[in-house]
Amino acid sequence: MTERVKRAFKYRFYPTAEQAAELARTFGCVRKIYNMALAARTEAWTARGERGSYNASSALLTAWKKTDELAFLNEVSSVPLQQTLRHLQTAFNNFFARRAGYPRPKSKKKSRRAAEYTSSAFRFRDGQLTLAKMRERLDIVWSRPLPQGATPSTVTVSQDAAGRWFVSLLCEDPTVEPLPVVDVAVGIDAGLDHLLTLSTGEKIPNPRYERQDRQRLARAQRHLSRKAKGDGANRAKAQREVARIHARIADRRRDHLHQITTRLVRENQTLVIEDLTVRNMLKNGKLARAISDAGWSEFRSLLEYKAQWYGREVIVVDRWFPSSKLCSACGTLQDRMPLHIRTWTCGCGATHDRDVNAGKNLLAAGRAVTVCGAGVRPQRNLPCGQPVTKQKAPRRKPRKTPLS
């Protein structure tokens, strides 16, 4: 029996004034406890060399609630406070495993406003959700139905910078099952002129959502810059307008990427992509805005988890693989290939579209990866750091000895 996939279903809801006030208090308490627990664990490590644990932080939370200064913590549900301590423990586990940096304090203005409730802190009956410390149910816009018979295990309530409220329900989805195996593989080259170019020759256009709303965004940002600094109502209103435009851009981009990745996963058994260092590429001042608008990192994340859901395989080729400079017909490597050259002719007589040729080379490299038994993120899994496309050891001439 296959293990069912746990999937989060996110919906927008409209709280009452009382619910909004309760959730705002909860967000503040969650942020307060996270920062206090982080400071306590940091002090314990620097002063006494103690690494700390979730149980120790939970004991501190119990003691904090008994003080007069932090008695307000008892006014909100205790479950989100315990969950934020678990999140802090996960952050430290990732730090000690060298998967992330040292945990940072949560900011009142910049950090995500969210609170997580487990099954003991909410009631879900007949499609109605009621959270702890609240008398009325949440007014949720059910834009899509939950799986039949699904019961949420956790509920996360959040508010974005644009002031929109969302609730995310995590539950098992029996509809997610491996798709029938197909004998189709595709190489995918990411770009800016075209968002994706497939080894089949298909080019998916880049919608450039940020460019479409750039004039409107610039106008809103100029309007914000004229507001007095501080916490005034006019400045907050202007900030929300800027956030709404950013949210519109991000929502449209995410929806487009969801449609593309779903189609690619359904149509292909093996998908080969390139390991792009987007963080370093953003240092290019001329292309940073266009690269950010393309959403390459989000595309890869969506493609990988959907491939895992539906029994597909994603192969990531090393970032240094010369996919653009290599002739897919004869294998000749060109010395230089500037970005402005979009079509070129090899010495063998083959004329290549730069992006289509890169997709074909990625597909060939991905098939080589499959033969040698490597998997996703090949260059990160190898202790020696060598790319999977270059695993074969170079031949060395025999060392001459004094007797030879």
Side-chain angles (χ1 to χ4, degrees):
M1 182 178 179
T2 59
E3 184 179 357
R4 289 185 176 179
V5 172
K6 281 197 170 184
R7 187 176 182 180
F9 293 83
K10 190 174 182 180
Y11 304 93
R12 190 170 179 181
F13 76 98
Y14 296 88
T16 63
E18 183 181 354
Q19 290 173 340
E22 177 63 27
L23 290 173
R25 283 195 297 269
T26 304
F27 294 158
C29 293
V30 164
R31 183 179 64 253
K32 179 73 172 179
I33 290 302
Y34 186 94
N35 291 341
M36 291 181 63
L38 175 59
R41 293 187 64 161
T42 302
E43 182 183 1
W45 172 256
T46 55
R48 301 181 296 276
E50 298 177 359
R51 178 171 292 191
S53 64
Y54 162 75
N55 292 333
S57 299
S58 181
L60 285 176
L61 174 59
T62 303
W64 291 334
K65 285 184 175 182
K66 295 179 181 179
T67 62
D68 296 336
E69 183 181 359
L70 299 175
F72 61 88
L73 295 175
N74 296 293
E75 299 176 2
V76 301
S77 174
S78 62
V79 173
L81 306 184
Q82 293 291 341
Q83 289 300 104
T84 196
L85 295 181
R86 290 187 173 91
H87 296 164
L88 178 62
Q89 181 62 40
T90 301
F92 271 105
N93 291 341
N94 292 333
F95 167 72
F96 289 120
R98 298 185 178 181
R99 292 190 295 266
Y102 194 81
R104 293 179 294 180
K106 289 184 180 293
S107 170
K108 180 178 181 180
K109 295 185 178 180
K110 296 182 179 180
S111 298
R112 179 170 178 257
R113 293 163 56 87
E116 184 177 275
Y117 296 79
T118 59
S119 56
S120 61
F122 67 86
R123 182 175 68 251
F124 185 75
R125 295 177 183 174
D126 301 326
Q128 306 296 333
L129 177 65
T130 306
L131 301 178
K133 300 287 185 177
M134 296 184 186
R135 294 176 294 180
E136 300 179 5
R137 60 177 178 83
L138 297 184
D139 183 13
I140 301 175
V141 179
W142 297 100
S143 53
R144 55 175 173 167
L146 287 175
Q148 188 174 5
T151 302
S153 58
T154 61
V155 169
T156 303
V157 180
S158 60
Q159 185 185 26
D160 65 3
R164 302 179 301 176
W165 294 86
F166 295 96
V167 58
S168 179
L169 290 79
L170 181 66
C171 55
E172 292 183 350
D173 189 358
T175 62
V176 177
E177 295 179 348
L179 296 171
V181 178
V182 293
D183 189 18
V184 183
V186 65
I188 306 171
D189 179 65
L192 295 178
D193 290 338
H194 295 88
L195 181 62
L196 301 173
T197 302
L198 309 184
S199 56
T200 58
E202 179 187 355
K203 293 187 176 183
I204 299 175
N206 186 0
R208 300 179 185 269
Y209 292 115
E210 188 272 339
R211 177 179 291 182
Q212 294 179 21
D213 286 350
R214 185 174 299 175
Q215 194 171 15
R216 181 184 174 192
L217 178 61
R219 189 184 305 114
Q221 289 174 330
R222 287 196 300 269
H223 185 65
L224 172 62
S225 67
R226 290 193 290 265
K227 302 302 177 184
K229 305 292 184 180
D231 298 329
N234 288 336
R235 183 172 181 83
K237 183 178 179 180
Q239 287 175 333
R240 284 194 299 270
E241 181 59 30
V242 173
R244 287 193 192 100
I245 300 174
H246 279 296
R248 167 183 160 87
I249 296 171
D251 290 346
R252 295 162 69 198
R253 181 192 300 123
R254 188 180 305 110
D255 179 69
H256 185 240
L257 292 177
H258 269 295
Q259 295 182 33
I260 294 174
T261 52
T262 299
R263 180 174 73 86
L264 291 174
V265 168
R266 291 186 181 279
E267 295 177 353
N268 303 277
Q269 182 66 32
T270 304
L271 305 103
V272 186
I273 60 177
E274 189 177 6
D275 182 32
L276 298 174
T277 53
V278 179
R279 179 180 298 180
N280 293 338
M281 297 172 72
L282 290 176
K283 297 177 182 178
N284 186 333
K286 295 182 179 180
L287 298 177
R289 175 177 283 184
I291 293 173
S292 300
D293 192 23
W296 291 337
S297 296
E298 187 172 9
F299 165 77
R300 174 172 172 175
S301 299
L302 297 177
L303 193 69
E304 287 183 352
Y305 84 70
K306 289 181 182 181
Q308 184 179 7
W309 278 3
Y310 297 109
R312 302 310 199 198
E313 182 183 14
V314 175
I315 299 176
V316 183
V317 177
D318 182 73
R319 67 190 64 170
W320 302 114
F321 178 69
S323 58
S324 299
K325 298 191 295 182
L326 194 66
C327 176
S328 59
C330 67
T332 302
L333 181 64
Q334 305 298 315
D335 294 333
R336 294 180 67 255
M337 189 65 61
L339 284 175
H340 68 273
I341 298 179
R342 311 312 303 174
T343 304
W344 58 280
T345 302
C346 180
C348 66
T351 301
H352 299 292
D353 179 283
R354 179 193 182 103
D355 299 329
V356 175
N357 177 68
K360 292 179 179 179
N361 287 325
L362 289 174
L363 177 59
R367 285 172 173 164
V369 168
T370 304
V371 171
C372 65
V376 179
R377 296 187 178 94
Q379 80 290 344
R380 301 174 193 172
N381 292 338
L382 292 176
C384 60
Q386 293 180 345
V388 294
T389 53
K390 302 177 183 178
Q391 284 189 27
K392 190 174 181 180
R395 293 183 178 179
R396 297 182 180 177
K397 296 181 180 180
R399 183 180 299 177
K400 293 183 179 181
T401 61
L403 298 179
S404 59

